[in-house]
Amino acid sequence: MRISGGVLRVLLLALVIPGCLLVRTTEHIITLKEDGSGEGILHLIDIRSDAHSDSLVLRDFDELMTAYGGEKVEEFEKYTRKITAKRLRVQGDTLMAEITYVFATLEAVDGLRVTQDELGFVFSPEREVVRTNGTMTRTEKERTRIVWERDAKRLVYEVRERQLPPSVSLASIYRRYVR
Protein backbone atom coordinates (compact mmCIF):
# COMPACT_ATOMS: atom_id res chain seq x y z
CA MET A 1 0.00 0.00 0.00
CA ARG A 2 1.30 3.46 -0.84
CA ILE A 3 1.37 5.92 2.02
CA SER A 4 -1.80 8.00 2.03
CA GLY A 5 -4.24 9.68 4.37
CA GLY A 6 -4.20 10.69 7.99
CA VAL A 7 -1.39 11.76 10.20
CA LEU A 8 1.34 10.32 8.08
CA ARG A 9 0.30 11.56 4.67
CA VAL A 10 1.23 15.23 4.84
CA LEU A 11 4.29 14.66 6.96
CA LEU A 12 5.75 11.90 4.82
CA LEU A 13 4.82 13.47 1.53
CA ALA A 14 6.27 16.74 2.69
CA LEU A 15 9.49 15.25 4.00
CA VAL A 16 10.56 12.12 2.23
CA ILE A 17 8.06 10.15 0.23
CA PRO A 18 8.29 11.16 -3.43
CA GLY A 19 6.19 8.44 -5.06
CA CYS A 20 6.91 4.74 -5.08
CA LEU A 21 8.39 4.64 -1.59
CA LEU A 22 6.75 2.82 1.28
CA VAL A 23 7.24 2.92 5.04
CA ARG A 24 6.33 -0.20 6.98
CA THR A 25 6.19 1.32 10.49
CA THR A 26 6.09 4.83 11.95
CA GLU A 27 6.66 5.81 15.54
CA HIS A 28 5.54 9.21 16.83
CA ILE A 29 6.62 10.86 20.07
CA ILE A 30 4.95 14.22 20.62
CA THR A 31 5.81 16.30 23.67
CA LEU A 32 3.36 19.10 24.47
CA LYS A 33 3.80 22.32 26.40
CA GLU A 34 1.07 24.18 28.30
CA ASP A 35 0.67 26.76 25.50
CA GLY A 36 0.00 24.08 22.82
CA SER A 37 3.44 24.23 21.25
CA GLY A 38 5.82 21.33 21.43
CA GLU A 39 8.20 18.92 19.78
CA GLY A 40 7.62 15.87 17.63
CA ILE A 41 9.95 13.01 16.84
CA LEU A 42 9.01 10.81 13.92
CA HIS A 43 10.73 7.48 13.25
CA LEU A 44 10.18 6.04 9.78
CA ILE A 45 11.08 2.38 10.10
CA ASP A 46 11.77 0.25 7.03
CA ILE A 47 11.76 2.63 4.07
CA ARG A 48 11.24 0.60 0.89
CA SER A 49 10.66 0.92 -2.86
CA ASP A 50 7.89 -0.88 -4.69
CA ALA A 51 9.66 -0.47 -8.06
CA HIS A 52 9.99 -3.55 -10.25
CA SER A 53 13.51 -3.03 -11.60
CA ASP A 54 16.91 -2.15 -10.18
CA SER A 55 17.07 1.10 -12.14
CA LEU A 56 13.68 2.22 -10.81
CA VAL A 57 14.67 1.30 -7.26
CA LEU A 58 17.77 3.47 -7.68
CA ARG A 59 15.60 6.29 -9.04
CA ASP A 60 13.35 6.02 -5.98
CA PHE A 61 16.41 6.18 -3.73
CA ASP A 62 17.68 9.28 -5.55
CA GLU A 63 14.27 10.91 -5.15
CA LEU A 64 14.30 10.02 -1.45
CA MET A 65 17.68 11.68 -0.97
CA THR A 66 16.63 14.78 -2.94
CA ALA A 67 13.34 15.16 -1.06
CA TYR A 68 14.95 14.53 2.30
CA GLY A 69 17.05 17.65 1.99
CA GLY A 70 15.18 19.93 -0.36
CA GLU A 71 12.00 21.79 -1.11
CA LYS A 72 9.77 19.29 0.68
CA VAL A 73 11.27 20.45 3.97
CA GLU A 74 10.22 24.01 3.14
CA GLU A 75 6.71 22.79 2.34
CA PHE A 76 6.52 20.97 5.68
CA GLU A 77 7.62 24.10 7.51
CA LYS A 78 4.83 26.23 6.04
CA TYR A 79 2.48 24.82 8.68
CA THR A 80 4.12 26.47 11.72
CA ARG A 81 6.51 23.54 12.12
CA LYS A 82 10.28 23.63 11.92
CA ILE A 83 12.58 20.68 11.45
CA THR A 84 15.37 20.79 14.02
CA ALA A 85 17.13 17.51 13.20
CA LYS A 86 16.96 14.64 10.75
CA ARG A 87 19.02 11.61 10.02
CA LEU A 88 18.96 8.41 8.05
CA ARG A 89 20.51 5.21 9.38
CA VAL A 90 20.60 1.51 8.75
CA GLN A 91 19.96 -1.17 11.34
CA GLY A 92 20.45 -4.66 9.98
CA ASP A 93 18.70 -4.66 6.63
CA THR A 94 16.32 -1.82 7.52
CA LEU A 95 16.62 1.82 6.44
CA MET A 96 15.19 4.23 9.00
CA ALA A 97 14.75 7.98 9.24
CA GLU A 98 14.38 10.12 12.31
CA ILE A 99 12.90 13.58 11.97
CA THR A 100 12.63 15.96 14.91
CA TYR A 101 10.50 19.07 14.59
CA VAL A 102 8.97 21.77 16.75
CA PHE A 103 5.52 23.28 16.31
CA ALA A 104 3.83 26.44 17.54
CA THR A 105 0.25 25.17 17.97
CA LEU A 106 -1.63 21.89 18.27
CA GLU A 107 -3.22 22.60 14.88
CA ALA A 108 0.22 22.11 13.30
CA VAL A 109 0.26 18.42 14.32
CA ASP A 110 -1.17 16.76 11.22
CA GLY A 111 -4.19 14.60 11.92
CA LEU A 112 -4.47 15.50 15.61
CA ARG A 113 -8.08 15.94 16.63
CA VAL A 114 -8.44 18.39 19.48
CA THR A 115 -11.57 18.75 21.61
CA GLN A 116 -12.20 20.45 24.92
CA ASP A 117 -11.65 17.16 26.77
CA GLU A 118 -9.24 15.10 24.69
CA LEU A 119 -6.61 14.78 21.99
CA GLY A 120 -6.75 11.98 19.46
CA PHE A 121 -5.94 10.31 16.15
CA VAL A 122 -7.96 7.92 13.98
CA PHE A 123 -6.38 5.26 11.74
CA SER A 124 -7.86 3.30 8.85
CA PRO A 125 -8.28 -0.49 9.10
CA GLU A 126 -5.23 -0.94 6.83
CA ARG A 127 -3.04 0.34 9.63
CA GLU A 128 -2.37 -1.41 12.93
CA VAL A 129 -1.55 0.48 16.11
CA VAL A 130 1.35 -1.49 17.58
CA ARG A 131 1.69 0.47 20.81
CA THR A 132 0.57 3.70 22.43
CA ASN A 133 0.43 5.44 25.77
CA GLY A 134 -3.11 6.57 24.94
CA THR A 135 -6.40 4.70 25.12
CA MET A 136 -7.30 2.68 22.02
CA THR A 137 -10.83 1.93 20.85
CA ARG A 138 -12.43 0.66 17.63
CA THR A 139 -14.98 2.67 15.70
CA GLU A 140 -17.99 1.27 13.86
CA LYS A 141 -16.04 1.28 10.59
CA GLU A 142 -13.19 -0.79 12.11
CA ARG A 143 -10.95 2.23 12.42
CA THR A 144 -8.64 2.49 15.41
CA ARG A 145 -8.98 5.57 17.58
CA ILE A 146 -6.37 6.67 20.11
CA VAL A 147 -7.22 9.35 22.68
CA TRP A 148 -5.39 11.12 25.50
CA GLU A 149 -6.66 13.47 28.19
CA ARG A 150 -6.59 17.09 26.98
CA ASP A 151 -3.80 17.93 29.43
CA ALA A 152 -1.51 15.06 28.33
CA LYS A 153 2.14 16.05 28.11
CA ARG A 154 3.34 13.24 25.86
CA LEU A 155 1.60 11.38 23.02
CA VAL A 156 3.31 8.19 21.91
CA TYR A 157 2.10 5.78 19.25
CA GLU A 158 3.53 3.36 16.72
CA VAL A 159 1.60 2.36 13.61
CA ARG A 160 2.37 -0.41 11.11
CA GLU A 161 0.93 -1.06 7.67
CA ARG A 162 -0.92 -4.37 7.80
CA GLN A 163 0.15 -5.26 4.26
CA LEU A 164 2.72 -3.91 1.84
CA PRO A 165 3.00 -4.86 -1.80
CA PRO A 166 6.18 -6.61 -2.91
CA SER A 167 8.98 -4.16 -2.23
CA VAL A 168 12.72 -3.78 -1.72
CA SER A 169 14.48 -2.37 1.32
CA LEU A 170 16.64 0.66 0.53
CA ALA A 171 19.11 -0.15 3.31
CA SER A 172 21.80 -1.71 1.10
CA ILE A 173 21.68 1.22 -1.35
CA TYR A 174 21.99 3.70 1.54
CA ARG A 175 24.99 1.77 2.90
CA ARG A 176 26.74 2.14 -0.47
CA TYR A 177 25.71 5.80 -0.64
CA VAL A 178 27.37 6.75 2.66
CA ARG A 179 30.65 4.94 2.01
Side-chain angles (χ1 to χ4, degrees):
M1 157 186 285
R2 292 181 192 272
I3 300 299
S4 63
V7 173
L8 202 52
R9 182 171 181 244
V10 170
L11 186 57
L12 294 181
L13 289 174
L15 288 175
V16 297
I17 305 302
C20 297
L21 294 175
L22 309 167
V23 176
R24 181 175 305 277
T25 304
T26 60
E27 177 187 50
H28 302 259
I29 303 166
I30 301 169
T31 304
L32 303 172
K33 296 180 183 176
E34 292 288 329
D35 65 0
S37 65
E39 178 182 72
I41 301 172
L42 172 64
H43 293 113
L44 307 174
I45 304 165
D46 200 4
I47 303 170
R48 308 177 69 77
S49 169
D50 68 354
H52 300 290
S53 71
D54 291 346
S55 62
L56 291 176
V57 170
L58 287 173
R59 184 207 64 193
D60 284 349
F61 179 78
D62 288 343
E63 289 179 8
L64 168 68
M65 297 311 293
T66 299
Y68 194 70
E71 67 188 44
K72 297 298 183 181
V73 170
E74 292 170 13
E75 185 179 325
F76 175 76
E77 291 183 348
K78 285 181 185 177
Y79 299 95
T80 67
R81 301 172 290 211
K82 177 154 183 57
I83 294 174
T84 57
K86 58 185 175 175
R87 73 180 180 139
L88 289 169
R89 66 185 174 96
V90 174
Q91 184 173 344
D93 63 351
T94 303
L95 178 61
M96 297 182 276
E98 178 178 284
I99 301 158
T100 304
Y101 61 98
V102 293
F103 52 90
T105 66
L106 289 174
E107 290 76 25
V109 179
D110 187 45
L112 180 63
R113 297 174 184 199
V114 180
T115 69
Q116 188 173 2
D117 299 324
E118 62 188 25
L119 304 170
F121 294 96
V122 177
F123 300 97
S124 68
E126 296 82 27
R127 304 184 72 210
E128 171 186 22
V129 176
V130 177
R131 69 182 180 90
T132 182
N133 68 340
T135 302
M136 271 193 328
T137 60
R138 289 285 219 194
T139 69
E140 291 176 14
K141 296 182 180 180
E142 292 302 308
R143 297 179 185 274
T144 302
R145 183 173 181 251
I146 305 173
V147 295
W148 294 265
E149 297 287 326
R150 181 65 170 83
D151 61 352
K153 300 295 181 222
R154 188 169 205 153
L155 315 179
V156 178
Y157 60 99
E158 185 174 330
V159 180
R160 177 175 48 220
E161 298 298 323
R162 290 188 189 274
Q163 281 190 302
L164 287 178
S167 56
V168 176
S169 172
L170 296 177
S172 63
I173 298 170
Y174 183 72
R175 270 196 203 100
R176 289 192 304 265
Y177 177 82
V178 295
R179 284 186 192 168

